[in-house]
Amino acid sequence: MVSLLAQGLVTYVGLVVVWKISKWLFVESSLECVPGPPAFSFLSGNVQQFLEEYGWKFYYDTLKSYGAVTKIKGLFGENMLLTFDPKALHHILVKDQLIYEEATAVIALNKLVFGDSLLAVLGEQHRKQRKMLNPVFSVAHMRAMIPIFYEVTHRLRQALLNQVKDGPKEVDILHWMTRTALELIGQSGMGYSFDSLEGDHNSTNIHPYAQSVKRFGGLVTGPATFVLCNYLIPYTNQLNLPRVKRWIVNCLPSQWVRDVKNITDLMEETAKDICKAKQKELMSDGSDEAKKDIISILMRANASAVKEDRLTDGEVVAQVATLVFAAMDTTSSALSRILYLLTQHPHVQEKLREELIQAKKDNGGEELGYDQLVTLPYLDAICRETLRVYPPVATGIRTARKDMVLPLSKPLKTTSGKEVTELIVPNGTTIFISILGANTNPEMWGPDSYEWKPERWLEPLPDKVGEAHMPGVYSNLMTFLGGSRACIGFKFSQLEMKVVLSMLLTTFKFEDTGKTIMWKLPGIASPNVEGKGVTQPALPIILSLLEKE
């Protein structure tokens, strides 16, 4: 039976691939005239280079050599676009956003893993979910989150104090930032504790959910996953036969499939347990009124919404897994990157520490509140500059759902030497939105655009930055994208980062270990120590307690 199943799947995938190849080979593409790097091979195009584990050189070289609009070759000659042209991005993310929807591959994978969550639905269903979730990410709600953020960060501080009680010590700061980010979203998002923040790497206190989510990121990035999500999962997702699909997954002789299945099952079961507990609170005698976590508020709002706006129980469960995954790795990546950069720039670390210490003195020695945290200029500059030069996710993906004309902000010189101000984008075209390219464009930010300089945010930005009208929701940057599918929790993430930094920088000193750190490119950027081979992501830093004055 398994043999017949395997043969059937191979035949199915083969037919899909043949159909796609025929389309690309025998139908002349309007994008063939767009300049781009030569394909690595006819079979893999540029996908292998573009999604290579440490493919930063190819990425940067492509941005610098070909500019804001580039043709990227996919499998068997498929034409894809890589762009950070401001006008094109406005049309893709805002004006024509219902046509340039989230990429088929991304939707397919998110639906498979998270169910019908905000990351996995399109059109009206996405609008309805977004409408329900928007209020819990308001500034008013962020203010209410501050005490929760500090409670978790105090536990982190104590855990790190235990690490250095006998003197300076090398610690894996990514490990601690990942655990902290998970506990922050757990407490503020669900009123649920994933991690006591006690113990070390081998501690039994670490929730299996944390271990699973950490593994999941490494499993679903790279060329193989891109191919699978583009050419198989979208078609299998159309089969509304969950038991059959589960049986097929159980039969497949693949360790990768089994790992993804086990992680997905654990995430779903944890989300269901959280929602069941919240439902019991809702049914109690108003005991949930004091609950300010995101899911409690969402479930109360959902219960009182009119029928057509109400989310199903499955959609609510899906939001739990999505919020945890989306908030954990991106925030821990950004925080780890900031702390790493502060070890490389000790004078910046000291200047930030002085600002934070003075702000606490001015506040009578108390922890800083929302209004104080968001107005500290150097802290804000460091966060903005890090998210500009090193966005946790370097690339977004969209798919054109029909033939479209895509306007450009400046003429593009084609391979024939002709200049064009718009492109005809065929139905089904994959478009890579270069977040990195938009954030570091020398034409906007100047010749030092690739350099990390927090001070640039302490003076007026170049006029061209504002004149470009980037459609991002944050600081003329594309880090959190724009339009209706922009990151809904970007203010939440910013506040988390500032609370954690305000606590750590006034307690500890962070120093470089001398080890070479390499950051992985696909998916969410994560650090590894050079020469360690295939290991779990890690970021060793020398941690020591600040000397008391």
Side-chain angles (χ1 to χ4, degrees):
M1 179 63 73
V2 175
S3 176
L4 288 174
L5 175 62
Q7 290 177 30
L9 285 174
V10 170
T11 301
Y12 174 74
V13 174
L15 290 172
V16 171
V17 171
V18 168
W19 173 73
K20 285 183 173 289
I21 293 173
S22 300
K23 181 180 176 182
W24 299 328
L25 287 179
F26 302 114
V27 179
E28 185 176 356
S29 173
S30 57
L31 300 179
E32 198 61 48
C33 66
V34 178
F40 179 77
S41 71
F42 174 72
L43 175 63
S44 64
N46 300 118
V47 172
Q48 184 175 344
Q49 299 161 289
F50 193 58
L51 298 177
E52 188 181 348
E53 194 171 40
Y54 299 104
W56 293 104
K57 184 179 186 306
F58 175 79
Y59 199 158
Y60 278 112
D61 287 349
T62 299
L63 296 178
K64 294 174 182 178
S65 299
Y66 298 96
V69 182
T70 307
K71 178 182 63 186
I72 297 291
K73 282 291 186 180
L75 269 63
F76 303 107
E78 178 187 7
N79 286 321
M80 304 182 291
L81 277 181
L82 172 69
T83 183
F84 56 89
D85 179 278
K87 193 170 184 178
L89 294 185
H90 175 75
H91 278 257
I92 293 168
L93 297 173
V94 182
K95 188 174 185 296
D96 300 318
Q97 60 184 291
L98 296 180
I99 296 168
Y100 296 103
E101 282 280 17
E102 191 84 54
T104 303
V106 176
I107 291 293
L109 181 62
N110 288 341
K111 187 177 288 289
L112 180 70
V113 175
F114 303 117
D116 289 330
S117 74
L118 195 66
L119 295 179
V121 296
L122 303 171
E124 179 59 24
Q125 191 177 10
H126 181 270
R127 184 204 64 79
K128 185 172 69 171
Q129 291 188 11
R130 185 98 182 189
K131 178 182 177 182
M132 191 67 70
L133 283 165
N134 272 331
V136 295
F137 290 102
S138 66
V139 171
H141 187 60
M142 291 302 98
R143 294 178 190 276
M145 291 289 100
I146 284 284
I148 298 175
F149 288 176
Y150 272 118
E151 188 279 326
V152 173
T153 309
H154 272 287
R155 281 192 273 143
L156 168 65
R157 177 180 179 273
Q158 185 57 52
L160 293 178
L161 283 171
N162 292 338
Q163 294 288 309
V164 297
K165 59 185 178 182
D166 297 323
K169 183 179 179 181
E170 180 180 299
V171 300
D172 178 5
I173 205 67
L174 175 68
H175 167 79
W176 289 103
M177 292 303 99
T178 301
R179 291 176 63 179
T180 301
L182 177 62
E183 182 66 357
L184 282 167
I185 189 60
Q187 292 285 0
S188 59
M190 296 100 204
Y192 183 92
S193 180
F194 286 104
D195 195 329
S196 65
L197 294 177
E198 297 174 353
D200 54 22
H201 283 70
N202 301 314
S203 173
T204 56
N205 293 323
I206 301 175
H207 197 286
Y209 193 102
Q211 299 169 341
S212 294
V213 173
K214 194 172 182 180
R215 286 186 62 216
F216 178 74
L219 287 172
V220 296
T221 56
T225 304
F226 178 80
V227 172
L228 186 66
C229 292
N230 257 303
Y231 307 114
L232 179 59
I233 294 178
Y235 302 96
T236 58
N237 274 352
Q238 294 175 11
L239 300 174
N240 191 23
L241 300 168
R243 290 185 180 179
V244 174
K245 288 194 286 187
R246 166 65 65 162
W247 178 77
I248 292 173
V249 166
N250 289 336
C251 290
L252 290 174
S254 166
Q255 186 61 47
W256 182 89
V257 171
R258 285 195 289 270
D259 288 344
V260 172
K261 178 183 76 72
N262 292 337
I263 290 171
T264 301
D265 286 347
L266 177 62
M267 292 167 69
E268 183 181 13
E269 288 305 313
T270 304
K272 284 181 177 178
D273 289 343
I274 291 172
C275 286
K276 285 178 183 177
K278 292 298 170 187
Q279 193 64 43
K280 287 181 180 179
E281 291 176 356
L282 277 174
M283 296 173 68
S284 66
D285 296 331
S287 63
D288 68 305
E289 283 304 311
K291 300 290 184 180
K292 301 296 184 183
D293 60 87
I294 292 171
I295 295 301
S296 290
I297 295 173
L298 172 63
M299 293 180 78
R300 287 199 298 268
N302 196 46
S304 60
V306 296
K307 185 176 181 180
E308 55 267 26
D309 286 341
R310 203 170 296 161
L311 307 185
T312 66
D313 290 345
E315 286 178 290
V316 174
V317 170
Q319 306 313 323
V320 175
T322 296
L323 288 172
V324 172
F325 179 75
M328 175 178 153
D329 274 5
T330 52
T331 301
S332 60
S333 174
L335 274 169
S336 298
R337 179 80 77 166
I338 290 174
L339 292 172
Y340 172 71
L341 288 166
L342 293 179
T343 69
Q344 307 301 299
H345 303 83
H347 64 288
V348 175
Q349 181 179 164
E350 188 55 38
K351 184 176 177 180
L352 175 58
R353 182 175 291 114
E354 290 173 0
E355 179 183 73
L356 291 167
I357 290 174
Q358 185 59 50
K360 288 189 177 182
K361 285 181 179 178
D362 294 343
N363 198 40
E366 299 294 325
E367 300 297 353
L368 303 176
Y370 176 88
D371 293 317
Q372 294 158 308
L373 280 170
V374 298
T375 55
L376 288 176
Y378 204 53
L379 174 61
D380 193 58
I382 286 172
C383 290
R384 289 176 191 266
E385 183 69 350
T386 303
L387 293 171
R388 183 187 74 83
V389 184
Y390 303 107
V393 179
T395 312
I397 312 179
R398 294 293 186 269
T399 300
R401 305 294 175 178
K402 70 177 186 179
D403 293 345
M404 288 295 292
V405 175
L406 184 64
L408 306 176
S409 61
K410 57 181 291 188
L412 170 70
K413 191 172 184 179
T414 67
T415 53
S416 65
K418 180 182 177 182
E419 289 192 343
V420 297
T421 56
E422 57 187 27
L423 292 173
I424 297 175
V425 179
N427 181 22
T429 299
T430 297
I431 301 173
F432 294 105
I433 296 169
S434 180
I435 296 170
L436 179 64
N439 287 359
T440 57
N441 185 356
E443 293 184 8
M444 289 172 51
W445 294 92
D448 62 351
S449 64
Y450 293 102
E451 298 177 37
W452 187 76
K453 293 184 175 181
E455 282 75 16
R456 77 172 76 239
W457 295 93
L458 301 179
E459 54 189 36
L461 296 176
D463 292 339
K464 290 184 178 180
V465 172
E467 292 168 358
H469 301 294
M470 277 289 177
V473 293
Y474 172 73
S475 297
N476 297 295
L477 303 176
M478 294 307 301
T479 304
F480 299 102
L481 293 177
S484 67
R485 298 193 77 93
C487 175
I488 196 171
F490 77 95
K491 293 177 183 177
F492 183 94
S493 175
Q494 288 286 291
L495 190 58
E496 281 184 308
M497 290 164 57
K498 290 181 178 181
V499 168
V500 171
L501 291 171
S502 72
M503 181 78 70
L504 297 187
L505 267 296
T506 53
T507 307
F508 304 102
K509 183 178 181 180
F510 299 85
E511 296 177 279
D512 185 28
T513 62
K515 297 175 181 178
T516 300
I517 304 299
M518 300 177 66
W519 292 77
K520 291 186 178 181
L521 172 60
I524 299 169
S526 60
N528 275 73
V529 179
E530 185 180 35
K532 290 293 184 180
V534 181
T535 60
Q536 287 290 332
L539 180 58
I541 282 177
I542 301 295
L543 184 71
S544 60
L545 192 61
L546 284 177
E547 296 181 5
K548 295 184 178 180
E549 295 182 357

